[in-house]
Every structure is written in C-alpha cells, then in structure tokens.
Amino acid sequence: MPENSQVSSTDVALPPQERGRTRHAQIVRAAALLIDSAPSSGRRPLTLRGIAEAADTPVASIYHYFPDVDSIVAAVAAQYGNELLAAVEAGVSRPTESLRNLLDTIFSIYREFFAARPGLRELWFDRKASEKVVRIHRDFRANLAKMLHARMLEYATKPHDILAYQVWIEITGILWELAFQSDSEGDPRVVDEIHELSDRFLRRRLGVALPPSGRVIESDASTGSAPVTGSAPPAWESRLPPQARGRKNRARILSAATEIIDSEGPHGPDVSARAITEAAGTSPASMYRYFDDLDSLVGAVAAEYMHDLLAVLDEVEASSEGLDYASLNKRTMSAYREFFARRRGLRELWFDRHASEKVQEIHAHYRRLLAERNHEAMSRHARHPGDLFAYNLHIEVTGALWDLAFTLDPDGHPYVIGEIEEQGIDFVHRLREREN
C-alpha cells in the first residue's frame, strides 16, 4: 500500500523493538477478537483485564503500549480500516475491462468484508464512537478518497477534485450502514441502491460513460418501512402537563435548555439540570416534574427543533402551490439550508453522533416523518410515487450530506448542497423512468 494510505492507529507510537511490536500487535489482535465475538454489544464489554487475559499478558504490560481501553479500540478500528483499504486497493489495482466491472469489484469487497466481521462492523459504524475512533474514520475516508480519485482519473471526462469522492463516500457509507442494520449479509435492496446512486453520481459529476443500471427503487410492501401516521404519540410528547401553569413552567425550562444548547452545542458546560433550571428561574426539582431526566429534556429540545423544521417545510409547500416538483425541491433545499445555518448548536444536536439512545430514537422518528411527507408530496406529482422504503433511504442519504455540508462550511458547503439538490432531481427522474 502507498506510504501515506495507512490509517493512523492511535496517538501512541509503535514500540521500536521487534519484541515490543509483537506484544503491541498481540494486544490489538486479542481486543479485535473480543469485539468481533460480541457483535450485539460492540466495544462496551471490553476491559483491560479481559484484553490482558485474551492476550495472555499482564494488565501492567498493556500500559507500556496503551494508556486506556479507548486507545486499544482506536488501534483495532485503525487495523480494520487498513485491512479494508488494502482489500479495496488490491481490487482497484487489477486491470479491468470497464468501469462497471471496477465498481462491482469495489462493492463486492465491501459487502464481503463487512459480512465476515459482524462485531468489528458494528465498531466501524458505531454512532457513539470516541473522538479517537472518529479520527480513524476520518483518516480512512480521506485515504479512500485519494485512492479512488487516482484510479478514476482514466474514466472521468469532467474536471473534479477530491471533494467529489468525499461526497460519494458519504452517500455510500450511510447506505452500507443501513444495509447491515437489517440484514447480516447486507440488505440486497440497499446494496442495489448503492449501485444505482453511485452510477448516477459518477455519470453526473465525473461525466463517465456508464449506462444506467436499470435498478428500480422499490421493495415488497411487506418489507418496506411502515408509515408513522396513526401510530401512538412518542413518549417525549405524551407528558404535557394538563394545567396551563404546568405547561408554562415546562415551556420555560424547555426554552432555557434550547437557548443553552444553541449557544454551546449539545455537550456544552452548561447543558446540566442545574444550569438550565437556573436560566429558567426554577429549581432542578421542578424540572423533574416534567422530564424524567436531563436526557429527556435534551430529547424534547431535539423534538421541538424538528417541529420547527416541519413548520418551515409546511410554509414552503403552502407557498408553492402550482409549482412542479423540481421547483418545490429547489425551494425546499433553500429552506433546509437557511434553517440549519441559523441555529448552529441545535444543528449539532441534530447531527450528534454521540447522542443518547433516546435522542437517536427521536432522530429516527423524525426521519420517518420526513420520508412520509416526501412520499405524500410526490403522490401529488406522480402516478406511481414508489413505496416508503425508497424515501427512507433518500432521507438517510441527504441527511448524511447535510451533515457533511455544515461540517465543511458553517454556512453549508455549496458543492455538497448542490449534490443534495441533484439527488432530489435524480430521485424524481427514477420514479418517472419507472412510469414510462
């Protein structure tokens, strides 16, 4: 592998002596086996004692190489990423008859690699990964983008840079995660979508001569995601106080939490029960009358944020009567951009990969609502709007791109936002191709 294509393992340098390097590798290998043997719990059961026993080494010896468990986990993630990079590089380095064969090779490598290592796969897609592991992922994506850029130059006919590959990796990355959430071998419907979106992206952004794959974005009604409308109200919305005074107090606490999170982000120093209730002019005991705990309050802030976005989207749709779907899509993208740009801390909360399970549940609920809204809107513009499963995938992909857009630029990176708009247009085109 090229010298600079390795994913950095940890902040700890490798031992200079051969014996030390062997012991270092032995510890990482033992931790990797423990993680891969516990796919349902990922890295949580890991302890220094457990790793030491698996590596047949004293706990004290581990401290010569790693300061803590998190550093070992980061080394495991780096090793996993390096193995995947090496597999992809070996695949793309072989002569191929066509770009279609090259893409099929890459996707087959990914699917087989993830399917073979369930526990390590969960570590790779862990939404609560530590900052060290997040850096590993970032390095991996950067090196993969460089590798793909070098390999695809012979096929591209349009000028482009590394950013195009960053976008492509974000699109396919979120879909690989979804594919293995529902199927240990990789959901074939989602894998088909990876192929289709990649085909269209490369034709559009790189100008490659790649004919459409002909895949259809649909699934059996029995396996598609169910609509949310008509379901029971979410738990975070069902504890509204019956009295006006109670509702006012709850709203004051919620407003104080919203202002603090918008100012400091979801993990700011004042995101605490004491600081929030002081800002609201009440006591922590009062907060617990309306929210089970601080996490429930943060979840309510996230829910209110998405209520606000839905209200904005309602206004856009109400003011766009008579417009075709492409025009509505453009207005909607503009509304999204302005909404996310205006409230930095709340945007961080929405895209927070370290959010609690409760907040992640709220995120999932609103992504389903957004998918349902899009499905309903499309039904007014197309005879066959497709099923909800396709819209769920579309929301997941565009959500990952919105996150990338504001990671690269606090105002939303124009290139990435342009790609979000193109994804929407492509989505409509595919539905119309099906109609014809």
Side-chain angles (χ1 to χ4, degrees):
M1 201 155 23
E3 183 180 352
N4 62 351
S5 65
Q6 291 284 329
V7 177
S8 58
S9 59
T10 66
D11 297 330
V12 182
L14 286 172
Q17 299 85 5
E18 181 64 30
R19 181 179 178 183
R21 289 195 293 272
T22 299
R23 183 60 59 84
H24 180 282
Q26 184 180 354
I27 294 168
V28 173
R29 185 165 55 252
L33 289 172
L34 288 174
I35 293 172
D36 206 27
S37 65
S40 62
S41 53
R43 65 185 177 90
R44 293 181 181 84
L46 280 187
T47 64
L48 285 174
R49 183 172 298 279
I51 295 171
E53 289 177 358
D56 193 23
T57 189
V59 172
S61 176
I62 292 180
Y63 286 110
H64 290 299
Y65 310 103
F66 300 97
D68 49 37
V69 171
D70 188 39
S71 296
I72 302 175
V73 171
V76 171
Q79 178 177 286
Y80 186 69
N82 283 332
E83 290 174 0
L84 179 54
L85 272 177
V88 173
E89 184 174 47
V92 302
S93 298
R94 292 194 294 267
T96 182
E97 296 180 356
S98 66
L99 178 56
R100 169 69 63 204
N101 289 344
L102 177 63
L103 292 178
D104 287 344
T105 296
I106 293 173
F107 296 144
S108 293
I109 289 169
Y110 261 80
R111 190 173 189 173
E112 292 170 8
F113 192 87
F114 288 141
R117 302 162 173 85
L120 293 172
R121 180 182 73 234
E122 287 195 8
L123 168 64
W124 193 249
F125 291 128
D126 184 8
R127 288 183 176 268
K128 298 180 184 178
S130 71
E131 185 55 37
K132 286 182 181 179
V133 175
V134 169
R135 287 201 301 269
I136 298 298
H137 295 169
R138 192 181 304 128
D139 288 346
F140 170 83
R141 291 195 297 268
N143 287 321
L144 181 59
K146 291 176 185 176
M147 183 191 301
L148 294 173
H149 180 259
R151 185 65 176 89
M152 298 288 288
L153 283 174
E154 66 179 273
Y155 297 105
T157 61
K158 290 182 180 180
H160 65 282
D161 58 22
I162 293 292
L163 182 56
Y165 296 91
Q166 286 182 262
V167 171
W168 183 24
I169 290 167
E170 291 294 332
I171 291 170
T172 55
I174 189 66
L175 290 176
W176 282 117
E177 181 178 352
L178 293 172
F180 282 95
Q181 278 180 1
S182 56
D183 188 327
S184 62
E185 299 298 321
D187 190 321
R189 300 166 300 171
V190 186
V191 175
D192 280 353
E193 186 70 355
I194 293 169
H195 280 267
E196 181 67 18
L197 288 186
S198 294
D199 289 356
R200 290 174 177 267
F201 178 86
L202 295 173
R203 286 202 312 274
R204 186 176 66 249
R205 291 297 190 185
L206 276 64
V208 296
L210 188 67
S213 67
R215 292 180 172 87
V216 178
I217 47 171
E218 63 178 346
S219 65
D220 295 335
S222 60
T223 56
S225 300
V228 176
T229 297
S231 59
W236 62 88
E237 293 183 346
S238 61
R239 288 194 59 198
L240 293 176
Q243 300 86 4
R245 181 180 177 183
R247 289 195 295 272
K248 184 177 179 180
N249 288 340
R250 182 185 186 276
R252 191 163 63 245
I253 295 169
L254 184 58
S255 177
T258 300
E259 289 182 10
I260 289 174
I261 291 173
D262 200 24
S263 174
E264 301 181 356
H267 305 291
D270 291 323
V271 182
S272 67
R274 181 170 298 279
I276 290 170
T277 52
E278 283 181 0
T282 186
S283 66
S286 177
M287 186 193 88
Y288 292 114
R289 295 176 190 167
Y290 313 111
F291 304 96
D292 290 337
D293 47 32
L294 178 62
D295 190 38
S296 297
L297 174 55
V298 173
V301 171
E304 285 292 314
Y305 184 57
M306 286 312 291
H307 275 310
D308 290 347
L309 176 59
L310 292 176
V312 168
L313 297 179
D314 283 340
E315 291 177 6
V316 171
E317 189 166 343
S319 64
S320 303
E321 188 173 351
L323 294 180
D324 58 19
Y325 191 85
S327 300
L328 174 61
N329 180 62
K330 195 174 186 68
R331 286 194 179 189
T332 301
M333 293 306 98
S334 178
Y336 265 94
R337 183 176 189 171
E338 292 175 7
F339 186 83
F340 287 140
R342 190 168 62 245
R343 309 177 80 179
R344 179 193 62 82
L346 293 174
R347 182 181 73 236
E348 288 181 13
L349 170 62
W350 189 247
F351 293 122
D352 183 16
R353 291 189 67 87
H354 296 278
S356 68
E357 290 185 8
K358 186 173 294 185
V359 176
Q360 292 285 0
E361 177 190 348
I362 292 169
H363 293 174
H365 172 80
Y366 278 97
R367 287 197 299 270
R368 290 194 298 270
L369 279 181
L370 288 169
E372 185 178 82
R373 286 174 58 94
N374 288 352
H375 183 264
E376 291 174 353
M378 185 66 75
S379 67
R380 295 192 289 272
H381 295 269
R383 293 193 305 274
H384 303 287
D387 65 22
L388 196 56
F389 182 78
Y391 292 82
N392 285 329
L393 292 185
H394 181 65
I395 287 295
E396 294 288 350
V397 167
T398 54
L401 291 179
W402 279 116
D403 189 8
L404 177 64
F406 283 97
T407 298
L408 296 175
D409 185 331
D411 294 319
H413 197 289
Y415 182 95
V416 184
I417 292 176
E419 177 58 29
I420 296 171
E421 187 172 335
E422 291 289 347
Q423 288 284 333
I425 294 171
D426 258 358
F427 190 81
V428 177
H429 285 169
R430 292 168 68 186
L431 291 172
R432 288 176 177 167
E433 288 168 7
R434 179 189 173 195
E435 285 184 338
N436 297 330

